[in-house]
Amino acid sequence: MQTTKSNKTSPPPNLNFLLNKNTDGHDAEHVQQAIIDKMQHLPKLLRNSLTWDQGAELALHKRIGASLDMAVYFCDPHSPWQRGTNENTNGLLRQYFPKGTDLSVYPEDYLDAVAEELNDRPRKTLGFMKPSEKIIELLDAA
């Protein structure tokens, strides 16, 4: 899950599926609550793990992992290649929100609409399937 000011994104592994969530702050307490609020209703199959960079905003990662029954991993410092899907997703988001944009001014339904639009775009890494199609395929197979 990557953070940008007042916004959280999370593409579940191998799905490239995007979730957005505005927060009231960028501190660990607000980020923890935003992640739990957004992910708690996902099927367990879609929340196996969360990979994060070294930001202090995930200082409460143990609570997140315990609340969601999910493993939380951290990338090595200065190693963005360990978060390739996330870096690519951030690039897609930049088509809608230039870097540094204060996303707290956007209503959550707008952020959800952007996520839905991105989830409906075919991805090379998914064999040109859409993330929305890949999730359905995964859930159907379960």
Side-chain angles (χ1 to χ4, degrees), residues 5-123:
K5 185 175 180 187
S6 298
N7 187 49
K8 309 295 155 258
T9 65
S10 179
N14 303 323
L15 296 177
N16 297 3
F17 195 84
L18 176 68
L19 300 173
N20 280 331
K21 176 73 176 159
N22 262 341
T23 65
D24 294 327
H26 196 67
D27 59 282
E29 191 69 43
H30 285 102
V31 169
Q32 168 205 265
Q33 197 55 53
I35 292 170
I36 292 170
D37 289 349
K38 197 67 175 189
M39 296 184 76
Q40 67 185 342
H41 301 293
L42 292 175
K44 172 69 175 138
L45 181 64
L46 299 180
R47 52 183 167 83
N48 287 328
S49 66
L50 175 66
T51 302
W52 204 267
D53 60 15
Q54 295 290 320
E57 64 275 5
L58 210 67
L60 300 175
H61 64 90
K62 289 182 182 177
R63 288 188 199 168
I64 294 168
S67 294
L68 297 172
D69 189 26
M70 177 176 67
V72 179
Y73 301 99
F74 291 90
C75 295
D76 294 322
H78 313 292
S79 303
W81 59 88
Q82 293 177 350
R83 298 173 38 248
T85 298
N86 188 276
E87 294 298 325
N88 181 62
T89 302
N90 286 346
L92 295 173
L93 283 168
R94 297 288 172 248
Q95 296 173 8
Y96 297 85
F97 310 106
K99 190 169 185 158
T101 299
D102 180 1
L103 299 175
S104 67
V105 301
Y106 293 95
E108 188 130 354
D109 60 339
Y110 180 75
L111 296 176
D112 288 342
V114 169
E116 186 175 331
E117 197 169 303
L118 289 175
N119 289 330
D120 205 37
R121 286 176 60 170
R123 306 284 173 84

